[in-house]
Amino acid sequence: MNRPPAELYAERQQRLADAMAGRVPDRVPAPLFTADFFARYAGYTLAETTYDAAKLEHAVEKTVLDFEPDAFEQQHTRNLLGPQLDLIDYLPMEWPGGRVGDDDPYQYLDREIMRADEYRDFIADPSYFWLTRMIPRTAGRLGAFASFPNPLGLVYTGMALNIAAFGTLEMKQAMDLLHEAGKHALQTIARDRAFIQHMATQGFPVHRGGAMLCPFDLIVDFMRGAKGGMLDMMRRPDELLTAIDVVLENFNRRAIELFRTLPSKTVFIPLHWGIDGFMSPQQFSRFYWPQLRRLIQMTIDAGLTPMPFFEGNCTSRLEVIADVPPGTCTYQFEQTDLVRAREVFGTRICIRGGMPASMLIAGSPTEVEEQVRKLVATVGRDGAFILDGGGAGIPREARPANVKAMFDAIKVHGLY
């Protein structure tokens, strides 16, 4: 018998809320978390869902309705970015239909954008540094911002004279480009909100709001690059630590204020450099965990639920990262031993993941069902567990029959 969408919506919301709070829901929840599976499943190239809102929405809706997950993830604000990126000529990224093929995924380019000797300038005035150094170096058509006047100089007669940089043709062209890109961004945000409401009327909540980076990751990913970040831990640790605090108190705090206005109160925090294979335990305890712990607490204090995604393996860190308030966090894992994580956490922290990407791609529906049964019996037996693909959700190459088997199996074997 068909049930009212409003009833299904409330049931799914409660199921996820119970699991994330460390309680035992009616069954193990399984949201749809993916970067690009929906495009291939609906028969589109990634370029089409990067530039065409209608095709993106059709692909996501079809995927959700066919597999009936407990929630879906916002896709407009992470995939519908092509026009804006084209207009400003964004350099640290390649995107489908832009600098890579129509069916190639988004690519991050590791680059040293901020020099090692610029830490002091960034620390002294992070906003102005970003405006006049980072923007011109990362947006090929916004080079004029290197001469953007310092707002602190716009005082008294300075308001009339120090605005001279705005009179150049280069600055006008940059401002015009920003206006065009901004119009696309406004349309993307508006369609995203409308689509969330549309899916709610069909009984499906959205399960991820904003996304932000751990301070160390932001500096290494987007400012210093991998080589620079590794060297800075050895050569200029004090400046790196101060810069990490600047990021936490400026970038992260402002992001959290924005996330409080979004429909979903779950905040995704992908973690890149704090894994076992990169940092030693000593480095982790100095440059990474204390600041991540503060970020988690800031997110909790704002009434949000932090969902760090520990990419790679971090089994050796489990005892350290267990130090968070009970029932406040969801930890998503890629390769970490989930049984060991459950032993360490108990039900104080909700664990998310467990379905290997390799199994969704190359396994069989029977193997997928058995994996679901095993995960429920070992990791999810006392609640505080969300079933998901281990490698950043459902991979694009996953076999639809295996994805269906995962969602079908959890509805049978995930009951409490």
Side-chain angles (χ1 to χ4, degrees):
M1 183 177 67
N2 292 332
R3 298 168 59 195
E7 182 180 318
L8 291 170
Y9 182 94
E11 181 181 278
R12 289 165 176 149
Q13 281 276 58
Q14 189 62 50
R15 183 175 296 137
L16 283 160
D18 286 342
M20 290 190 294
R23 299 187 293 266
V24 177
D26 61 334
R27 71 161 167 81
V28 174
L32 176 68
F33 176 59
T34 181
D36 44 25
F37 170 78
F38 58 87
R40 176 171 289 186
Y41 177 71
Y44 296 120
T45 66
L46 294 179
E48 289 178 291
T49 57
T50 298
Y51 286 88
D52 191 321
K55 290 180 179 178
L56 172 72
E57 289 161 4
H58 173 256
V60 175
E61 183 171 4
K62 173 178 173 55
T63 306
V64 172
L65 294 181
D66 284 359
F67 294 107
E68 296 188 320
D70 288 306
F72 71 100
E73 181 187 11
Q74 289 174 280
Q75 295 295 342
H76 292 69
T77 53
R78 71 178 286 178
N79 278 301
L80 196 63
L81 307 176
Q84 300 96 297
L85 296 173
D86 284 337
L87 280 167
I88 66 173
D89 187 26
Y90 191 64
L91 301 175
M93 182 188 292
E94 296 179 341
W95 56 95
R99 297 198 185 95
V100 295
D102 284 355
D103 211 26
D104 294 328
Y106 280 86
Q107 298 291 317
Y108 155 78
L109 303 178
D110 181 76
R111 299 174 58 206
E112 183 176 329
I113 300 171
M114 183 183 85
R115 301 192 309 267
D117 63 0
E118 292 181 312
Y119 266 109
R120 291 185 180 180
D121 293 338
F122 171 68
I123 291 167
D125 194 343
S127 295
Y128 191 62
F129 183 90
W130 209 270
L131 187 66
T132 58
R133 309 281 182 89
M134 296 299 295
I135 288 179
R137 296 173 189 176
T138 57
R141 294 177 180 166
L142 299 181
F145 275 51
S147 61
F148 205 99
N150 193 319
L152 297 180
L154 303 181
V155 178
Y156 196 43
T157 57
M159 182 64 76
L161 297 176
N162 292 339
I163 58 174
F166 292 116
T168 67
L169 177 61
E170 293 79 11
M171 187 65 80
K172 181 182 185 304
Q173 291 172 336
M175 290 294 191
D176 288 344
L177 279 171
L178 273 183
H179 178 65
E180 286 301 311
K183 288 195 295 184
H184 284 285
L186 285 172
Q187 293 168 5
T188 296
I189 294 169
R191 292 200 69 141
D192 178 62
R193 296 294 178 92
F195 185 74
I196 289 172
Q197 290 299 318
H198 170 67
M199 294 306 295
T201 65
Q202 301 191 66
F204 296 97
V206 65
H207 182 53
R208 197 191 83 172
M212 61 180 170
L213 292 173
C214 176
F216 183 93
D217 289 340
L218 187 147
I219 291 171
V220 177
D221 286 354
F222 299 115
M223 299 177 72
R224 293 289 292 128
K227 178 181 177 182
M230 286 187 284
L231 292 174
D232 292 346
M233 287 194 292
M234 305 295 182
R235 295 179 175 177
R236 50 186 76 242
D238 292 338
E239 285 182 311
L240 175 58
L241 285 168
T242 302
I244 287 172
D245 286 339
V246 168
V247 169
L248 188 65
E249 292 302 322
N250 289 272
F251 293 77
N252 291 124
R253 194 173 291 282
R254 291 173 185 172
I256 289 170
E257 291 173 0
L258 170 63
F259 299 158
R260 296 178 68 181
T261 69
L262 300 181
S264 174
K265 304 306 178 185
T266 301
V267 179
F268 184 59
I269 311 174
L271 306 176
H272 301 147
W273 297 102
I275 59 176
D276 291 0
F278 177 72
M279 283 187 174
S280 69
Q282 293 76 20
Q283 291 169 329
F284 185 75
S285 64
R286 185 180 186 190
F287 296 102
Y288 208 90
W289 173 246
Q291 300 85 353
L292 176 57
R293 177 65 176 78
R294 285 168 56 195
L295 176 58
I296 288 172
Q297 189 62 57
M298 286 165 55
T299 308
I300 295 168
D301 290 344
L304 306 170
T305 299
M307 188 173 70
F309 176 31
F310 293 85
E311 302 186 36
N313 195 328
C314 67
T315 303
S316 73
R317 319 271 201 234
L318 291 174
E319 284 78 5
V320 176
I321 64 177
D323 179 28
V324 291
T328 60
C329 298
T330 296
Y331 282 2
Q332 185 172 358
F333 292 109
E334 182 181 9
Q335 299 175 14
T336 298
D337 183 343
L338 298 192
V339 175
R340 175 62 183 152
R342 177 58 72 214
E343 292 173 353
V344 174
F345 299 161
T347 57
R348 299 174 67 254
I349 298 171
C350 178
I351 295 174
R352 178 168 175 164
M355 181 58 66
S358 58
M359 186 175 291
L360 290 172
I361 295 170
S364 68
T366 300
E367 290 173 315
V368 170
E369 182 179 9
E370 181 55 33
Q371 176 70 2
V372 171
R373 190 198 308 268
K374 176 183 175 183
L375 286 166
V376 172
T378 55
V379 185
R381 63 182 182 273
D382 297 319
F385 175 59
I386 297 174
L387 175 68
D388 199 355
I394 298 172
R396 181 169 56 129
E397 303 82 1
R399 294 174 58 201
N402 289 340
V403 178
K404 185 176 188 305
M406 184 180 84
F407 285 111
D408 287 350
I410 200 63
K411 295 177 176 72
V412 175
H413 304 298
L415 296 171
Y416 287 101

